[in-house]
Amino acid sequence: MGSLDEFLQFLTPETRLDLKVLAVEQVLGMTGREEGRTLLCQNLKILQHLIKLCSDKVPGVARDSCLALVNLSGDEDGAVALLSEEHGISQNQGFVRQMVELALDPQSPLADPALMVLSNITRPSQLTSEILSLIVGDDRKDSYDESKVFEFLERVIGALTSTRHNSVGANLHYLGPLLSNLSQLPVVRRHVLPVLFISSVIVHYTLNIIFFFIISKRFILDHEKKVIHRLIPFTEYQDSLVRRGGIVGCLRNCCFDTDEHAWLLGPDVDILPHLLLPLAGPEEFDEEDNNKLPVDLQWLPEDKTRESDPDIRRMLLEALEQLCATKVHREYMRERNVYIILRELHKWEKDRQVLLACENLVDLLIRKEEEIGEENLHAVEVPEDLVSKFEKMDKEFLEDK
């Protein structure tokens, strides 16, 4: 630890350029090894100096400092260390906002590594709420000024859906995972799912009619926003697996909101074919089966391929399973012959986690409602002993080669 403290004198903006470049290169090299990352995360002053050097006037120093933070934040312990309370809320807020501005500034050459840092530090669920509060300048971790949250999300989604937001060559693909991580929070899903927020407005109507009317008018009644409509096309975005996976993760998280299932499956959004199409292959079906499928899945070409990434296939299946929470929507799935797409996927699939997700979904669709016996599966409280039993069964299935 002592040697690292001596190293600090070379990690300042005022340090002689050649020494500073060498010091930052040494630190970046350390972050490529687990023992090096562990050692660095134990020295909070080193982390603070690296954060400051991300804004250094020398491009190479700023880039290597930011890349070091990418490697450090890739481990959960590193993400926690970067946001340690010992830094103080002012320091943490400065760090997070610095990464946001580097990520979203159209002229920023460090947009991609800054986005990787933000994606990494928002991945641990215990940090996500804290980071959003730091971004919008709110000391409350579970309650926010929603107008500021929506303003920030508009910047994120605007950059994500723009073809050339960054003018200096950054691809911004990690906006996808960032949005996926943030969508763990209900306040973020409210921006993607406007109907849910309208419900919130009604619930709080008598408490603060003026505030909620202003927010709802600005973000909900503007039909041109249609945030989820702007995200759905990315389920088949072939230029980046990272961006595609992040958007699918966001949509999957939105499907946990049971109150929104009717809207998601209805004609305004019609999410079902967008979740199913990446899971479909080139298999041919008879006319009767084809006619029951959503139009976008009928008579697919012979060269149709399935989603190549198993994690994305799993998330698509998990989203579909969430949409089966209520009886009316399970029936909706059955009427649209979802089962035959899953049947062919199961024959083709090799990944055990995807197979498990597929079988869980098929089990809901092939069983009769009398056997299921519940209108809303999300309302069912499963005893702890059964949870443990099911988890053990899943583990045994995944380990069965």
Side-chain angles (χ1 to χ4, degrees):
M1 189 69 71
S3 60
L4 279 181
D5 285 336
E6 294 173 5
F7 208 54
L8 285 172
Q9 62 183 306
F10 305 113
L11 294 172
T12 67
E14 298 79 20
T15 302
R16 202 175 77 197
L17 180 57
D18 57 335
L19 296 177
K20 181 167 56 175
V21 169
L22 183 61
V24 173
E25 287 178 349
Q26 287 287 102
V27 172
L28 178 57
M30 290 179 66
T31 64
R33 304 184 302 275
E34 182 178 356
E35 60 271 24
R37 294 193 297 273
T38 300
L39 190 62
L40 288 168
C41 288
Q42 293 171 353
N43 192 312
L44 298 186
K45 289 184 179 179
I46 288 274
L47 301 183
Q48 292 169 4
H49 282 234
L50 282 174
I51 291 169
K52 290 179 181 177
L53 287 177
C54 288
S55 299
D56 197 85
K57 294 179 180 179
V58 180
V61 170
R63 182 192 64 245
D64 286 354
S65 299
C66 206
L67 290 174
L69 293 183
V70 172
N71 292 343
L72 289 168
S73 61
D75 302 325
E76 184 170 329
D77 289 343
V80 171
L82 283 167
L83 290 159
S84 170
E85 292 182 357
E86 294 182 40
H87 294 303
I89 188 169
S90 177
Q91 167 92 16
N92 286 342
Q93 190 172 72
F95 161 52
V96 172
R97 290 186 175 187
Q98 178 188 15
M99 291 299 110
V100 169
E101 292 311 311
L102 286 174
L104 298 179
D105 180 356
Q107 302 294 325
S108 171
L110 296 180
D112 285 334
L115 276 173
M116 292 179 194
V117 172
L118 289 170
S119 174
N120 285 343
I121 63 177
T122 53
R123 187 166 59 243
S125 57
Q126 73 271 24
L127 293 179
T128 312
S129 181
E130 176 185 352
I131 290 166
L132 185 60
S133 69
L134 291 171
I135 291 172
V136 300
D138 199 324
D139 294 337
R140 303 165 296 172
K141 294 183 181 180
D142 297 310
S143 179
Y144 313 88
D145 181 337
E146 299 205 1
S147 64
K148 291 182 180 179
V149 173
F150 292 166
E151 182 179 342
F152 164 66
L153 291 173
E154 276 297 330
R155 291 183 68 193
V156 170
I157 292 169
L160 189 152
T161 56
S162 172
T163 54
R164 293 182 181 178
H165 177 80
N166 187 282
S167 62
V168 293
N171 58 51
L172 307 184
H173 292 322
Y174 276 83
L175 282 167
L178 173 61
L179 185 60
S180 177
N181 296 340
L182 292 173
S183 67
Q184 298 175 81
L185 303 174
V187 67
V188 174
R189 296 198 298 273
R190 279 204 289 273
H191 187 53
V192 181
L193 297 170
V195 178
L196 179 63
F197 192 61
I198 288 174
S199 300
S200 176
V201 174
I202 294 171
V203 170
H204 294 82
Y205 182 81
T206 58
L207 297 178
N208 200 332
I209 181 172
I210 298 175
F211 173 78
F212 279 95
F213 174 74
I214 292 171
I215 298 300
S216 64
K217 183 175 182 181
R218 183 176 175 189
F219 294 101
I220 307 308
L221 301 181
D222 183 353
H223 292 177
E224 293 182 1
K225 282 188 180 293
K226 297 192 177 231
V227 175
I228 202 165
H229 300 72
R230 295 156 66 187
L231 299 178
I232 282 177
F234 287 94
T235 57
E236 295 189 82
Y237 184 76
Q238 295 305 310
D239 289 350
S240 169
L241 184 151
V242 170
R243 185 179 295 222
R244 185 170 75 249
I247 297 302
V248 170
C250 176
L251 295 176
R252 186 269 312 269
N253 290 344
C254 288
C255 290
F256 278 84
D257 290 315
T258 311
D259 291 343
E260 300 306 327
H261 288 179
W263 181 67
L264 287 169
L265 290 167
D268 188 25
V269 178
D270 194 23
I271 199 172
L272 180 59
H274 298 284
L275 298 177
L276 268 184
L277 190 57
L279 300 173
E283 295 82 11
E284 294 184 5
F285 305 111
D286 60 39
E287 185 172 356
E288 181 180 357
D289 274 336
N290 252 309
N291 290 339
K292 291 179 183 177
L293 288 167
V295 173
D296 290 347
L297 282 97
Q298 295 178 12
W299 310 108
L300 296 177
E302 293 180 359
D303 60 352
K304 171 68 172 71
T305 58
R306 289 184 171 87
E307 165 59 53
S308 60
D309 183 74
D311 287 334
I312 295 180
R313 294 197 299 274
R314 175 181 52 79
M315 289 190 290
L316 289 164
L317 290 164
E318 289 170 352
L320 290 165
E321 183 180 2
Q322 291 304 316
L323 292 171
C324 286
T326 58
K327 176 181 176 181
V328 63
H329 296 126
R330 291 191 292 272
E331 295 287 9
Y332 180 91
M333 298 275 198
R334 294 180 186 118
E335 290 169 2
R336 279 146 188 82
N337 221 4
V338 170
Y339 167 73
I340 66 168
I341 300 296
L342 302 178
R343 181 190 67 197
E344 299 306 315
L345 171 66
H346 191 272
K347 294 177 184 177
W348 173 89
E349 186 60 64
K350 298 294 187 292
D351 186 277
R352 299 294 290 178
Q353 289 191 333
V354 181
L355 280 170
L356 178 60
C358 185
E359 291 182 11
N360 288 340
L361 177 54
V362 167
D363 184 57
L364 286 174
L365 294 177
I366 64 174
R367 291 168 66 191
K368 295 181 179 179
E369 286 302 321
E370 293 78 9
E371 296 176 291
I372 297 175
E374 294 290 343
E375 287 283 337
N376 184 352
L377 296 178
H378 283 178
V380 177
E381 293 187 11
V382 183
E384 287 295 327
D385 59 325
L386 288 181
V387 171
S388 300
K389 180 180 178 181
F390 294 148
E391 288 176 348
K392 182 180 178 181
M393 291 171 62
D394 288 350
K395 183 179 180 181
E396 291 173 351
F397 178 88
L398 293 174
E399 292 175 350
D400 182 11
K401 305 300 181 183

